Amino acid sequence: MAIHRVNTDDYSEQLQAKAERLQQSYSAYTDLQPEVYPSPPSHYRLRAEFKVWQEGGRAHYAMYRQGEYKQPFIIDEFTVGAELINQLMPQVLEAVNASEVLRKRLFSAEFLTTLSGDALITLIYHKKLDEQWEGEARALQEKLGFPVLGRSRKQKLVLERDYVIEQLPVGNKTYQYKQVEGSFTQPNGEICRAMIGWAKDVCRDSRGDLLELYCGNGNLTIPLCEHFDKVLATEISKVSVNAAQENIRANGVTNLDIVRLSSEEFTQAIDKVRPFRRLKDIDLDSYDFSTVLVDPPRAGLDPDTCAMVARFPRILYISCNPDTQLENLAELSKTHRVERFALFDQFPYTDHTESGLLLVRRES
Protein backbone atom coordinates (compact mmCIF):
# COMPACT_ATOMS: atom_id res chain seq x y z
CA MET A 1 0.00 0.00 0.00
CA ALA A 2 1.36 3.43 -0.91
CA ILE A 3 0.86 6.63 1.08
CA HIS A 4 1.17 9.76 -1.01
CA ARG A 5 -0.29 12.81 0.65
CA VAL A 6 -2.60 14.22 3.31
CA ASN A 7 -5.85 15.98 2.47
CA THR A 8 -5.16 19.65 3.19
CA ASP A 9 -8.71 20.79 2.32
CA ASP A 10 -10.03 20.10 5.83
CA TYR A 11 -7.20 21.76 7.72
CA SER A 12 -9.03 24.93 8.82
CA GLU A 13 -11.99 22.92 10.06
CA GLN A 14 -9.73 20.52 11.97
CA LEU A 15 -7.83 23.40 13.57
CA GLN A 16 -11.05 25.09 14.67
CA ALA A 17 -12.17 21.84 16.31
CA LYS A 18 -8.83 21.63 18.14
CA ALA A 19 -9.21 25.18 19.42
CA GLU A 20 -12.72 24.48 20.67
CA ARG A 21 -11.59 21.32 22.47
CA LEU A 22 -8.66 23.12 24.05
CA GLN A 23 -10.78 26.04 25.24
CA GLN A 24 -13.32 23.64 26.72
CA SER A 25 -10.58 21.70 28.52
CA TYR A 26 -9.24 24.88 30.15
CA SER A 27 -12.63 26.48 30.85
CA ALA A 28 -12.35 25.82 34.60
CA TYR A 29 -9.32 28.12 34.70
CA THR A 30 -9.93 30.80 32.07
CA ASP A 31 -12.64 32.34 29.91
CA LEU A 32 -10.05 33.35 27.33
CA GLN A 33 -10.25 31.99 23.81
CA PRO A 34 -6.85 30.61 22.82
CA GLU A 35 -4.70 32.65 20.46
CA VAL A 36 -4.42 30.18 17.58
CA TYR A 37 -1.21 29.74 15.60
CA PRO A 38 -1.86 27.59 12.52
CA SER A 39 0.73 25.48 10.80
CA PRO A 40 1.32 25.61 7.08
CA PRO A 41 -1.09 22.94 5.79
CA SER A 42 1.72 21.04 4.03
CA HIS A 43 5.52 20.75 3.98
CA TYR A 44 5.83 21.81 7.62
CA ARG A 45 7.96 19.04 9.17
CA LEU A 46 11.69 19.83 9.17
CA ARG A 47 12.74 16.36 10.27
CA ALA A 48 11.58 12.89 9.32
CA GLU A 49 12.57 9.30 10.01
CA PHE A 50 11.70 6.45 7.67
CA LYS A 51 12.17 2.74 8.08
CA VAL A 52 13.76 1.13 5.05
CA TRP A 53 11.89 -1.87 3.64
CA GLN A 54 14.09 -4.22 1.63
CA GLU A 55 12.40 -6.38 -0.99
CA GLY A 56 13.58 -7.90 -4.25
CA GLY A 57 17.03 -6.38 -3.92
CA ARG A 58 15.67 -2.85 -3.62
CA ALA A 59 15.15 -0.46 -0.74
CA HIS A 60 11.97 1.55 -0.14
CA TYR A 61 10.98 4.17 2.42
CA ALA A 62 8.32 2.75 4.70
CA MET A 63 6.17 3.50 7.73
CA TYR A 64 4.19 1.15 9.93
CA ARG A 65 1.09 1.32 12.05
CA GLN A 66 1.88 0.67 15.69
CA GLY A 67 2.04 -3.07 16.31
CA GLU A 68 1.87 -3.96 12.59
CA TYR A 69 5.56 -4.15 11.73
CA LYS A 70 5.18 -6.74 8.99
CA GLN A 71 2.80 -4.59 6.94
CA PRO A 72 4.80 -1.64 5.61
CA PHE A 73 3.26 1.40 3.98
CA ILE A 74 5.63 2.36 1.16
CA ILE A 75 6.32 6.10 1.08
CA ASP A 76 6.69 7.64 -2.37
CA GLU A 77 6.49 11.23 -1.15
CA PHE A 78 5.93 12.91 2.19
CA THR A 79 3.51 15.81 1.90
CA VAL A 80 3.90 16.92 5.51
CA GLY A 81 7.70 16.94 5.16
CA ALA A 82 9.65 20.02 4.20
CA GLU A 83 10.08 20.57 0.49
CA LEU A 84 13.82 20.00 0.92
CA ILE A 85 13.13 16.58 2.47
CA ASN A 86 10.96 15.70 -0.53
CA GLN A 87 13.72 16.83 -2.89
CA LEU A 88 16.35 14.73 -1.10
CA MET A 89 14.30 11.56 -0.59
CA PRO A 90 14.40 10.25 -4.19
CA GLN A 91 18.05 11.27 -4.63
CA VAL A 92 19.11 9.34 -1.54
CA LEU A 93 17.02 6.30 -2.47
CA GLU A 94 18.37 6.25 -6.03
CA ALA A 95 21.95 6.27 -4.73
CA VAL A 96 21.20 3.57 -2.15
CA ASN A 97 19.66 1.28 -4.76
CA ALA A 98 22.58 1.87 -7.10
CA SER A 99 25.10 0.77 -4.46
CA GLU A 100 25.07 -2.63 -2.76
CA VAL A 101 27.37 -1.17 -0.12
CA LEU A 102 24.93 1.60 0.79
CA ARG A 103 21.83 -0.58 0.53
CA LYS A 104 22.90 -3.76 2.33
CA ARG A 105 21.45 -3.96 5.86
CA LEU A 106 20.23 -0.36 5.76
CA PHE A 107 17.13 -0.22 7.97
CA SER A 108 16.44 3.49 8.58
CA ALA A 109 17.00 6.89 6.98
CA GLU A 110 16.62 10.22 8.77
CA PHE A 111 16.41 13.73 7.34
CA LEU A 112 17.05 16.87 9.40
CA THR A 113 16.47 20.18 7.60
CA THR A 114 16.00 23.87 8.39
CA LEU A 115 13.84 26.71 7.15
CA SER A 116 17.01 28.39 5.95
CA GLY A 117 17.91 25.51 3.62
CA ASP A 118 20.43 23.32 5.47
CA ALA A 119 20.13 19.54 5.67
CA LEU A 120 21.71 16.43 7.19
CA ILE A 121 21.01 12.85 6.10
CA THR A 122 21.60 9.96 8.53
CA LEU A 123 21.72 6.35 7.29
CA ILE A 124 21.35 3.68 9.98
CA TYR A 125 22.53 0.08 9.54
CA HIS A 126 22.56 -3.41 11.01
CA LYS A 127 26.25 -3.77 10.11
CA LYS A 128 29.62 -2.26 10.91
CA LEU A 129 30.49 0.65 8.64
CA ASP A 130 33.89 0.32 6.96
CA GLU A 131 36.11 2.26 4.57
CA GLN A 132 34.19 0.96 1.57
CA TRP A 133 30.94 2.34 3.00
CA GLU A 134 32.67 5.63 3.79
CA GLY A 135 33.85 5.97 0.19
CA GLU A 136 30.36 5.38 -1.20
CA ALA A 137 28.80 7.70 1.37
CA ARG A 138 31.25 10.47 0.56
CA ALA A 139 30.31 10.18 -3.13
CA LEU A 140 26.63 10.48 -2.13
CA GLN A 141 27.43 13.47 0.07
CA GLU A 142 29.17 15.23 -2.79
CA LYS A 143 26.25 14.53 -5.11
CA LEU A 144 23.65 15.82 -2.64
CA GLY A 145 25.59 18.87 -1.51
CA PHE A 146 24.67 18.10 2.11
CA PRO A 147 26.44 16.07 4.79
CA VAL A 148 25.77 12.35 5.26
CA LEU A 149 26.21 10.59 8.59
CA GLY A 150 26.35 6.84 9.22
CA ARG A 151 25.18 4.98 12.30
CA SER A 152 25.25 1.39 13.43
CA ARG A 153 25.42 -0.35 16.78
CA LYS A 154 28.01 1.48 18.92
CA GLN A 155 29.23 3.36 15.85
CA LYS A 156 28.72 6.90 14.57
CA LEU A 157 30.64 7.87 11.44
CA VAL A 158 30.64 11.63 10.82
CA LEU A 159 31.90 12.45 7.32
CA GLU A 160 31.63 16.23 7.61
CA ARG A 161 29.39 17.34 10.49
CA ASP A 162 26.58 15.99 12.67
CA TYR A 163 24.46 19.14 12.84
CA VAL A 164 22.59 21.72 10.78
CA ILE A 165 22.59 25.49 11.18
CA GLU A 166 19.21 27.22 11.29
CA GLN A 167 18.77 30.92 10.53
CA LEU A 168 15.39 31.75 12.03
CA PRO A 169 13.81 35.17 11.34
CA VAL A 170 11.47 36.38 14.11
CA GLY A 171 10.21 39.95 13.89
CA ASN A 172 13.08 42.21 12.87
CA LYS A 173 15.82 39.80 14.02
CA THR A 174 17.30 36.56 12.75
CA TYR A 175 18.53 34.00 15.27
CA GLN A 176 21.13 31.36 14.52
CA TYR A 177 20.92 27.88 16.02
CA LYS A 178 23.17 24.86 15.86
CA GLN A 179 20.86 21.83 15.84
CA VAL A 180 22.63 18.54 16.54
CA GLU A 181 21.52 15.22 15.05
CA GLY A 182 19.74 13.10 17.63
CA SER A 183 18.98 15.98 20.00
CA PHE A 184 15.62 17.67 20.43
CA THR A 185 14.57 20.40 18.02
CA GLN A 186 11.11 21.70 17.19
CA PRO A 187 9.90 19.70 14.16
CA ASN A 188 7.62 22.41 12.73
CA GLY A 189 9.76 25.41 11.83
CA GLU A 190 6.95 27.91 11.33
CA ILE A 191 5.32 26.93 14.62
CA CYS A 192 8.72 27.29 16.28
CA ARG A 193 8.86 30.86 14.95
CA ALA A 194 5.32 31.45 16.24
CA MET A 195 6.23 30.15 19.71
CA ILE A 196 9.25 32.44 19.90
CA GLY A 197 7.24 35.43 18.66
CA TRP A 198 4.45 34.76 21.17
CA ALA A 199 6.89 34.34 24.06
CA LYS A 200 8.67 37.58 23.12
CA ASP A 201 5.34 39.41 22.99
CA VAL A 202 4.39 38.02 26.40
CA CYS A 203 7.73 39.19 27.84
CA ARG A 204 8.15 42.49 25.99
CA ASP A 205 7.50 44.70 29.08
CA SER A 206 9.28 42.43 31.57
CA ARG A 207 11.54 43.58 34.37
CA GLY A 208 14.04 41.74 36.50
CA ASP A 209 15.54 38.37 35.62
CA LEU A 210 14.35 35.21 33.88
CA LEU A 211 14.77 31.59 34.92
CA GLU A 212 14.20 28.93 32.28
CA LEU A 213 13.98 25.19 32.93
CA TYR A 214 14.34 22.62 30.11
CA CYS A 215 16.01 25.16 27.79
CA GLY A 216 17.32 22.71 25.17
CA ASN A 217 19.67 24.41 22.71
CA GLY A 218 18.47 27.88 23.73
CA ASN A 219 15.68 28.03 21.16
CA LEU A 220 13.44 30.23 23.33
CA THR A 221 16.09 31.40 25.76
CA ILE A 222 18.24 33.40 23.38
CA PRO A 223 15.43 35.55 21.85
CA LEU A 224 14.04 36.34 25.31
CA CYS A 225 17.34 37.62 26.72
CA GLU A 226 16.75 41.13 25.38
CA HIS A 227 13.63 41.44 27.56
CA PHE A 228 15.37 40.75 30.89
CA ASP A 229 18.35 42.05 32.84
CA LYS A 230 19.84 38.58 33.37
CA VAL A 231 18.82 35.06 32.37
CA LEU A 232 19.67 31.73 33.98
CA ALA A 233 18.69 28.57 32.11
CA THR A 234 19.01 24.87 32.89
CA GLU A 235 19.06 21.75 30.72
CA ILE A 236 20.00 18.14 31.56
CA SER A 237 21.22 17.03 28.10
CA LYS A 238 24.97 17.57 27.68
CA VAL A 239 24.63 17.71 23.87
CA SER A 240 21.94 20.40 24.11
CA VAL A 241 23.92 22.42 26.67
CA ASN A 242 27.01 22.38 24.43
CA ALA A 243 24.90 23.47 21.43
CA ALA A 244 23.29 26.20 23.54
CA GLN A 245 26.72 27.56 24.52
CA GLU A 246 27.67 27.79 20.85
CA ASN A 247 24.33 29.44 20.05
CA ILE A 248 24.89 32.02 22.80
CA ARG A 249 28.19 33.01 21.18
CA ALA A 250 26.75 32.95 17.64
CA ASN A 251 23.97 35.34 18.63
CA GLY A 252 26.17 37.69 20.66
CA VAL A 253 24.18 37.19 23.89
CA THR A 254 25.99 38.44 26.99
CA ASN A 255 23.42 38.22 29.83
CA LEU A 256 22.72 34.47 29.78
CA ASP A 257 24.21 31.60 31.79
CA ILE A 258 23.27 27.97 31.13
CA VAL A 259 23.98 25.16 33.61
CA ARG A 260 23.51 21.42 33.16
CA LEU A 261 20.95 20.56 35.81
CA SER A 262 17.61 18.77 35.84
CA SER A 263 14.59 20.66 37.10
CA GLU A 264 14.63 18.51 40.23
CA GLU A 265 18.28 19.38 40.88
CA PHE A 266 17.68 23.07 40.36
CA THR A 267 14.78 22.95 42.81
CA GLN A 268 17.14 21.44 45.39
CA ALA A 269 19.76 24.09 44.62
CA ILE A 270 17.48 27.13 44.89
CA ASP A 271 16.01 25.73 48.12
CA LYS A 272 19.58 25.19 49.40
CA VAL A 273 18.88 21.51 50.02
CA ARG A 274 22.27 20.61 48.55
CA PRO A 275 25.09 22.35 46.67
CA PHE A 276 26.09 21.53 43.10
CA ARG A 277 29.61 21.94 41.70
CA ARG A 278 28.03 22.87 38.37
CA LEU A 279 26.72 26.01 40.09
CA LYS A 280 30.02 27.02 41.68
CA ASP A 281 30.31 30.07 39.40
CA ILE A 282 26.62 31.02 39.72
CA ASP A 283 25.40 33.20 42.61
CA LEU A 284 21.71 32.34 42.79
CA ASP A 285 21.13 35.01 45.42
CA SER A 286 22.22 37.70 42.94
CA TYR A 287 19.21 37.08 40.68
CA ASP A 288 15.96 39.00 40.93
CA PHE A 289 13.74 36.49 39.18
CA SER A 290 10.45 37.96 38.00
CA THR A 291 9.55 35.26 35.48
CA VAL A 292 10.08 31.53 35.07
CA LEU A 293 9.75 29.80 31.70
CA VAL A 294 9.06 26.08 31.57
CA ASP A 295 8.69 23.87 28.50
CA PRO A 296 8.76 20.42 30.10
CA PRO A 297 8.59 16.97 28.50
CA ARG A 298 5.23 15.26 28.11
CA ALA A 299 5.16 14.20 31.77
CA GLY A 300 4.84 17.86 32.80
CA LEU A 301 6.26 19.34 36.01
CA ASP A 302 7.01 17.04 38.92
CA PRO A 303 5.36 18.10 42.22
CA ASP A 304 8.50 19.69 43.74
CA THR A 305 9.28 21.68 40.57
CA CYS A 306 5.64 22.75 40.31
CA ALA A 307 5.74 24.01 43.91
CA MET A 308 8.99 25.88 43.25
CA VAL A 309 7.63 27.46 40.05
CA ALA A 310 4.56 28.67 41.94
CA ARG A 311 6.77 31.05 43.94
CA PHE A 312 7.47 33.20 40.86
CA PRO A 313 5.35 36.28 40.04
CA ARG A 314 4.99 35.23 36.38
CA ILE A 315 5.03 31.74 34.90
CA LEU A 316 5.38 31.22 31.15
CA TYR A 317 4.37 27.59 30.60
CA ILE A 318 4.63 26.05 27.12
CA SER A 319 3.43 22.48 26.93
CA CYS A 320 3.52 19.61 24.44
CA ASN A 321 0.86 17.82 26.52
CA PRO A 322 -2.19 19.81 27.66
CA ASP A 323 -3.29 16.90 29.88
CA THR A 324 -0.26 17.21 32.16
CA GLN A 325 -0.32 21.00 31.88
CA LEU A 326 -3.87 20.88 33.22
CA GLU A 327 -2.72 18.68 36.10
CA ASN A 328 -0.09 21.29 36.97
CA LEU A 329 -2.58 24.11 36.44
CA ALA A 330 -4.82 22.62 39.13
CA GLU A 331 -2.05 23.50 41.59
CA LEU A 332 -0.73 26.67 39.97
CA SER A 333 -4.21 28.21 39.71
CA LYS A 334 -4.33 28.37 43.52
CA THR A 335 -1.76 31.16 43.37
CA HIS A 336 -1.88 32.39 39.76
CA ARG A 337 -4.44 33.42 37.14
CA VAL A 338 -4.28 32.90 33.37
CA GLU A 339 -3.44 36.10 31.51
CA ARG A 340 -2.50 34.73 28.07
CA PHE A 341 -3.53 31.48 26.39
CA ALA A 342 -2.26 30.10 23.07
CA LEU A 343 -2.59 27.06 20.82
CA PHE A 344 0.36 26.05 18.64
CA ASP A 345 -0.59 23.52 15.96
CA GLN A 346 2.73 21.70 15.84
CA PHE A 347 1.23 18.53 14.30
CA PRO A 348 -1.72 19.16 11.93
CA TYR A 349 -4.07 16.28 11.07
CA THR A 350 -3.47 14.69 14.50
CA ASP A 351 -5.12 15.06 17.90
CA HIS A 352 -1.84 16.42 19.30
CA THR A 353 -2.08 19.98 20.60
CA GLU A 354 0.59 22.24 22.10
CA SER A 355 -0.40 25.12 24.34
CA GLY A 356 1.08 28.20 25.97
CA LEU A 357 0.02 29.96 29.16
CA LEU A 358 1.10 33.11 30.90
CA LEU A 359 0.21 32.84 34.58
CA VAL A 360 0.37 35.90 36.80
CA ARG A 361 0.34 35.76 40.59
CA ARG A 362 -2.99 36.67 42.14
CA GLU A 363 -3.07 39.69 44.39
CA SER A 364 -3.27 38.79 48.08
Side-chain angles (χ1 to χ4, degrees), residues 39-57:
S39 169
S42 62
H43 300 304
Y44 53 83
R45 276 195 70 102
L46 293 179
R47 63 175 196 252
E49 175 185 348
F50 303 103
K51 298 301 181 185
V52 174
W53 177 259
Q54 305 261 6
E55 187 173 32

Side-chain angles (χ1 to χ4, degrees), residues 116-172:
S116 53
D118 200 4
L120 172 68
I121 300 93
T122 302
L123 303 177
I124 307 174
Y125 290 84
H126 284 309
K127 69 176 181 180
K128 182 177 175 60
L129 304 180
D130 56 17
E131 291 182 358
Q132 189 177 13
W133 180 89
E134 182 176 344
E136 295 282 313
R138 287 192 181 279
L140 171 59
Q141 181 174 264
E142 184 174 352
K143 178 181 178 181
L144 296 175
F146 294 107
V148 172
L149 186 153
R151 280 191 177 274
S152 66
R153 183 177 176 83
K154 296 182 179 180
Q155 187 181 19
K156 176 181 175 180
L157 191 51
V158 180
L159 304 184
E160 179 184 326
R161 54 185 164 95
D162 64 350
Y163 60 87
V164 293
I165 298 294
E166 175 68 284
Q167 301 281 347
L168 202 62
V170 180
N172 60 358

Side-chain angles (χ1 to χ4, degrees), residues 31-43:
D31 293 329
L32 295 174
Q33 297 289 326
E35 305 164 51
V36 178
Y37 292 89
S39 169
S42 62
H43 300 304

Side-chain angles (χ1 to χ4, degrees), residues 5-16:
R5 61 181 66 248
V6 295
N7 180 6
T8 60
D9 295 341
D10 299 332
Y11 176 61
S12 295
E13 183 178 336
Q14 291 181 31
L15 181 58
Q16 179 61 32

Side-chain angles (χ1 to χ4, degrees), residues 127-320:
K127 69 176 181 180
K128 182 177 175 60
L129 304 180
D130 56 17
E131 291 182 358
Q132 189 177 13
W133 180 89
E134 182 176 344
E136 295 282 313
R138 287 192 181 279
L140 171 59
Q141 181 174 264
E142 184 174 352
K143 178 181 178 181
L144 296 175
F146 294 107
V148 172
L149 186 153
R151 280 191 177 274
S152 66
R153 183 177 176 83
K154 296 182 179 180
Q155 187 181 19
K156 176 181 175 180
L157 191 51
V158 180
L159 304 184
E160 179 184 326
R161 54 185 164 95
D162 64 350
Y163 60 87
V164 293
I165 298 294
E166 175 68 284
Q167 301 281 347
L168 202 62
V170 180
N172 60 358
K173 288 193 174 183
T174 297
Y175 301 97
Q176 177 174 309
Y177 299 100
K178 179 180 181 180
Q179 300 178 343
V180 181
E181 179 263 350
S183 65
F184 177 79
T185 56
Q186 296 288 348
N188 189 321
E190 292 297 343
I191 290 298
C192 179
R193 292 180 63 213
M195 283 182 173
I196 294 171
W198 182 79
K200 285 175 65 64
D201 185 58
V202 165
C203 296
R204 68 183 185 277
D205 296 322
S206 298
R207 293 178 174 83
D209 302 329
L210 170 69
L211 169 67
E212 182 182 359
L213 309 179
Y214 321 97
C215 75
N217 69 357
N219 180 62
L220 285 166
T221 328
I222 287 167
L224 292 183
C225 283
E226 67 181 89
H227 302 291
F228 294 90
D229 297 328
K230 293 191 298 182
V231 179
L232 178 64
T234 71
E235 168 60 46
I236 190 59
S237 165
K238 184 179 291 188
V239 172
S240 292
V241 169
N242 290 340
Q245 299 289 8
E246 293 191 40
N247 293 336
I248 290 170
R249 292 190 288 271
N251 289 280
V253 174
T254 59
N255 63 336
L256 166 61
D257 285 307
I258 292 180
V259 291
R260 192 169 68 86
L261 290 172
S262 68
S263 61
E264 294 87 350
E265 289 172 329
F266 183 81
T267 299
Q268 293 174 342
I270 201 169
D271 288 341
K272 303 188 186 310
V273 173
R274 55 178 285 211
F276 290 87
R277 283 185 295 175
R278 283 165 281 173
L279 283 169
K280 63 182 177 63
D281 298 323
I282 303 293
D283 180 8
L284 289 179
D285 293 332
S286 70
Y287 286 87
D288 178 23
F289 291 121
S290 63
T291 306
V292 59
L293 165 61
V294 293
D295 185 1
R298 291 188 61 79
L301 303 176
D302 65 272
D304 289 342
T305 302
C306 191
M308 183 270 289
V309 163
R311 303 202 298 261
F312 287 73
R314 289 158 46 98
I315 305 166
L316 183 54
Y317 190 152
I318 293 176
S319 174
C320 61

